[in-house]
Each structure stands twice: as structure tokens, then as C-alpha cells.
Amino acid sequence: MPWNPVIYNKFKNIRFLPFFDLSDMIQEAPLMKSVDLGCGTGEQTALLVEKFKQATFIGIDSSEEMLEQAEHLKSDRLDFKRQTIEKFVESNESWDLVFSNAALQWADNHKDLFPKLIDKLNPGGQFVVQMPYQPENILNKLLYTLAESEPYRTQFKGWNRPSSVLLLDDYAQIMFDGGLSQLNISQRIYPLIAQDHHTLYEFIAGSALIPYLERLEEKEKALFIEAFKVEIANTFKKLPALYAFKRILLYGKKE
């Protein structure tokens, strides 16, 4: 999936807020062998390296475009690797910290994936994850509904991308069953104040919209974008608009 770091980082300040909240959950420990799943451009991974002086980190991402931006951040305590989450869970390595900020929502079948990720933890290891709560976020719902309507459903050949994100109760049970304690599980709203509808469009254009557009021909792509913008304008009638962007934060420690 071709990510554009420039578009994605237009909302860097908003996207960094949940990262800081998530990183505050981490308990510092000596000699933490750590992995950042879906590290993107590596900026946030580098901040973790700076914050946790006794930790070593590997940032993992499947996007070549993102990892090119991370290359200059490498150090004796920070490296990067191009790999999918699915390949990561197949490895035999174990970790003191499995961290992921706004990435695992792209992975499928969380009921199968999350136990495997938790199994990667050493005793005393920490599982620290944040994801957009797509099932309740308005722009995600508008996008999914539009793709189900004609002529787009035909153009997508029936394909759509329902969110793989589960209920909070499900994650709590998975984490408990995986032997995690000190559970800290919450949903938080990170509001975006948009002065115009284009801002709302751009916020999702750098993430959830990408897999839809890559399946369309150029002419179809332009029409789909225009239709999506109309849906946004019809939904957010009052400007400036408040977009109550929901995210879930998960923390647990392996006993």
C-alpha cells in the first residue's frame, strides 16, 4: 500500500497526542528489548529511544516510503526493518516491550493476532497499543457506506474494508487470557477542529482512504473522491466542524 509521508504528516501534531499518552503508560525497566510495530517514519520510535535510556528499539513497518524517511534516525539503540505484522508474529524472538501506535488497525483478525503478539512478551514484558476506533469514527463509516453504494460497489468488485478493530471488552478478555495484568484499557476522544471540509477530507486521505483509491482507475478515482467530499459536506453542515476522533489505548504487563 503506497503511503505518502507528506500527506500523513500534515496532521502530525494531532497524531502525536495519543502517542504521548500511550508512551506515558510504559514503565521503564533495565535493558528493555523493544519493538515498535508500524513505526512509519520513525520519528515516534526515536522519541521512545530518547525517553527510555536503557532500551533498544527496532521499528518495523511494511512501507518502503515511510522507512526511507526513518533511515537517518538509526543509532546504536535504534534500527529499522521492513516487515509485515504477520511476518513479525511468525518469528521466534521475544520482547520486553511490544509497542504499536496507530498501526494494528490495518491488520486483520485481531482475535487471532493479538494473542500471538502477547505471546511474544518476556516475563515482565509490556504490551502497549493505540488504535483509531474505526467502528465509531464518522469519516470511516462514511467511507465504508459510500463504497457499498453504486456505482462504486461494482467498481470495487464487491470489495470493501470493514474495520478489524474489536470491542474494548474483547481486548480486555484477550489480554487477560494472555496473562497480562495491570490492565489499562480506555477509549478517548482526540478532537480535530476543521475550518473547512477539505481539512476533514485530508485527515482521512493520508490513511484509511488509500486502499480504496489504489483499487480504482484514474477517472473512477476522481469521481469517488468528489462523491466522498460531498458526503463529508452533507454530514458536517456546521463550520468550523468538530470531528470527535475516537481512539483506544491498551496496556498490560506479562506476569
Side-chain angles (χ1 to χ4, degrees):
M1 187 167 61
W3 283 83
N4 186 327
V6 176
I7 294 175
Y8 186 80
N9 280 333
K10 280 187 177 182
F11 298 91
K12 180 193 289 189
N13 291 341
I14 295 170
R15 297 189 192 280
F16 268 52
L17 288 175
F19 162 77
F20 288 123
D21 288 341
L22 193 67
S23 64
D24 284 345
M25 292 180 169
I26 299 171
Q27 301 174 15
E28 187 160 16
L31 304 175
M32 285 198 300
K33 181 187 175 186
S34 311
V35 62
D36 181 5
L37 300 175
C39 65
T41 60
E43 282 185 274
Q44 294 178 355
T45 324
L47 289 173
L48 293 173
V49 171
E50 184 178 338
K51 182 173 183 177
F52 300 103
K53 303 296 185 184
Q54 299 188 72
T56 58
F57 274 86
I58 292 181
I60 288 176
D61 205 281
S62 62
S63 169
E64 183 177 356
E65 295 85 0
M66 288 290 196
L67 289 177
E68 284 175 358
Q69 303 292 315
E71 190 69 22
H72 71 286
L73 295 171
K74 287 184 176 181
S75 70
D76 58 339
R77 292 196 294 119
L78 174 58
D79 200 3
F80 296 97
K81 182 178 182 180
R82 187 179 181 192
Q83 189 179 54
T84 65
I85 305 270
E86 292 75 17
K87 286 292 184 184
F88 169 79
V89 297
E90 292 175 4
S91 72
N92 293 321
E93 278 194 273
S94 59
W95 304 84
D96 302 313
L97 172 65
V98 172
F99 179 93
S100 183
N101 183 58
L104 294 181
Q105 72 275 10
W106 292 105
D108 295 327
N109 194 359
H110 284 195
K111 287 187 177 180
D112 181 58
L113 173 65
F114 272 58
K116 291 179 179 178
L117 292 174
I118 292 168
D119 282 346
K120 309 294 287 181
L121 291 172
N122 293 320
Q126 299 173 78
F127 184 72
V128 190
V129 171
Q130 182 275 124
M131 297 176 291
Y133 197 43
Q134 295 170 333
E136 289 189 10
N137 282 329
I138 294 173
L139 291 178
N140 292 95
K141 292 195 285 188
L142 288 178
L143 181 58
Y144 182 86
T145 301
L146 181 63
E148 285 292 295
S149 67
E150 294 294 354
Y152 311 110
R153 181 173 172 79
T154 298
Q155 292 170 1
F156 286 121
K157 300 179 175 62
W159 175 88
N160 207 336
R161 193 180 187 282
S163 176
S164 58
V165 177
L166 305 173
L167 297 173
L168 291 182
D169 291 28
D170 294 325
Y171 291 114
Q173 190 65 53
I174 290 169
M175 293 167 71
F176 178 75
D177 290 343
L180 299 186
S181 63
Q182 301 182 34
L183 299 183
N184 187 345
I185 299 169
S186 63
Q187 176 181 300
R188 303 183 192 178
I189 289 176
Y190 293 86
L192 167 66
I193 309 301
Q195 299 299 321
D196 51 48
H197 294 123
H198 187 66
T199 299
L200 293 168
Y201 165 77
E202 284 201 318
F203 185 70
I204 197 168
S207 55
L209 185 61
I210 295 172
Y212 288 86
L213 296 186
E214 69 179 0
R215 285 171 167 79
L216 297 175
E217 302 294 334
E218 285 304 313
K219 185 176 180 181
E220 296 172 342
K221 191 181 299 185
L223 292 173
F224 186 74
I225 289 172
E226 186 58 35
F228 186 42
K229 288 180 176 179
V230 169
E231 291 298 319
I232 292 173
N234 288 338
T235 302
F236 296 89
K237 298 182 183 298
K238 181 182 177 182
L239 293 173
L242 169 69
Y243 182 40
F245 190 61
K246 302 177 182 71
R247 297 178 182 269
I248 59 174
L249 291 82
L250 311 174
Y251 176 89
K253 189 171 185 179
K254 192 73 170 281
E255 296 299 333

